[in-house]
Amino acid sequence: MKSDGRRQGIMDFLMDIGTASVDDLASRFGVSKMTVHRDLDELEESGFLRKVRGGASIQPSSLFESDFRYRQRLAGDEKKRIAAAAVTIIEPGQTVIIDDGSTAGGVARHLADLRPLTVISNNLAVIQDLAGVAGINLIALGGQYSKKFHGFFGLLAEDTLKSLRADVAFLSSSAIHGASAFHQDQEVVQTKRLMMAAAARKYLLVDHGKFGRTALHFLTDLKAFDTVFTGREPQPQMRAALDGAGVSLTVIAE
């Protein structure tokens, strides 16, 4: 197997199990451990995984956010509940921003029932879902495509956002610590902040697994959002911190 195909195979394998050892990968692909290390070095340098002691992982850490394909598989039912509840905020005729997150991106599948709408997004999955849908005026943010985040970022996307205004923005975040939201990637943070600045009302959509985690870059205080939607009640200590900071939290239970 050529190196490109083997590296894609490593990523596909990690998508299923999250973490694997060098020994397991060497056995699975019939190559030496040194070859596996070279493959992992290349994939880590490209931002697709992180090397851990004795192997590699695509699970998130404070410095590393998972590939969008892996995130899409996590808390699927909860994310659907959150998106279905959040979409009730939208009224026909409004302009809606949707970010690159898998939870916020779930809003897109409900929008055909609320036409006419203008939708602004850097999320390629959202763009593909809504392209050509009658009654949806789609504004796709340009910029540098990120395979890892399946979205567009950089100066072109940022400059476009600065020139736009919307009624509602739906955003996601990879980590919530105390009453603040964080993310591992500074370019993603910058795009999300500009989306917030462009919208009259802002809503954060996060599954319960994001609470109690932190990441390298501060995104915003949660009180900046009109409401934070989640699918399970946070632990009492976490809930107390949110309430004490004046954060509006809406729990969409099963």
Side-chain angles (χ1 to χ4, degrees), residues 152-204:
F152 297 90
F153 302 91
L155 291 176
L156 290 175
E158 293 168 12
D159 286 345
T160 302
L161 280 167
K162 291 175 184 177
S163 69
L164 297 171
R165 291 296 178 268
D167 297 292
V168 180
F170 294 109
L171 293 93
S172 301
S173 181
S174 59
I176 294 176
H177 183 73
S180 299
F182 295 83
H183 199 279
Q184 297 89 342
D185 189 283
Q186 61 182 342
E187 197 166 52
V188 174
V189 167
Q190 178 64 9
T191 300
K192 291 178 186 290
R193 286 179 177 173
L194 289 172
M195 289 178 167
M196 293 176 66
R201 291 181 291 141
K202 298 161 277 288
Y203 300 92
L204 184 67

Side-chain angles (χ1 to χ4, degrees), residues 92-247:
Q94 290 187 326
T95 298
V96 180
I97 294 176
I98 303 174
D99 79 353
D100 64 291
S102 58
T103 308
V107 169
R109 65 176 60 93
H110 300 280
L111 297 184
D113 296 331
L114 297 168
R115 295 172 288 182
L117 290 171
T118 294
V119 179
I120 302 166
S121 186
N122 68 329
N123 186 326
L124 184 55
V126 170
I127 294 167
Q128 291 171 328
D129 285 345
L130 298 179
V133 175
I136 299 291
N137 178 33
L138 179 62
I139 299 176
L141 297 174
Q144 185 73 34
Y145 173 70
S146 167
K147 182 178 179 181
K148 177 178 178 178
F149 293 110
H150 203 45
F152 297 90
F153 302 91
L155 291 176
L156 290 175
E158 293 168 12
D159 286 345
T160 302
L161 280 167
K162 291 175 184 177
S163 69
L164 297 171
R165 291 296 178 268
D167 297 292
V168 180
F170 294 109
L171 293 93
S172 301
S173 181
S174 59
I176 294 176
H177 183 73
S180 299
F182 295 83
H183 199 279
Q184 297 89 342
D185 189 283
Q186 61 182 342
E187 197 166 52
V188 174
V189 167
Q190 178 64 9
T191 300
K192 291 178 186 290
R193 286 179 177 173
L194 289 172
M195 289 178 167
M196 293 176 66
R201 291 181 291 141
K202 298 161 277 288
Y203 300 92
L204 184 67
L205 281 55
V206 287
D207 66 79
H208 74 279
K210 303 300 191 300
F211 288 88
R213 290 170 48 185
T214 191
L216 180 61
H217 299 288
F218 171 78
L219 171 58
T220 184
D221 290 325
L222 296 182
K223 63 184 179 182
F225 296 100
D226 291 79
T227 296
V228 176
F229 286 92
T230 191
R232 186 182 299 177
E233 183 70 32
Q235 295 293 327
Q237 186 175 0
M238 296 179 190
R239 182 62 193 251
L242 297 173
D243 292 342
V247 176

Side-chain angles (χ1 to χ4, degrees), residues 21-62:
S21 70
V22 170
D23 289 341
D24 288 342
L25 293 171
S27 175
R28 182 177 183 83
F29 294 98
V31 295
S32 69
K33 289 190 286 186
M34 184 62 70
T35 296
V36 170
H37 276 294
R38 286 197 296 267
D39 288 340
L40 297 182
D41 286 341
E42 179 71 24
L43 290 167
E44 183 178 50
E45 185 175 349
S46 299
F48 292 118
L49 55 75
R50 58 187 176 96
K51 293 186 75 174
V52 296
R53 183 181 297 274
S57 175
I58 58 170
Q59 295 173 338
S61 72
S62 63

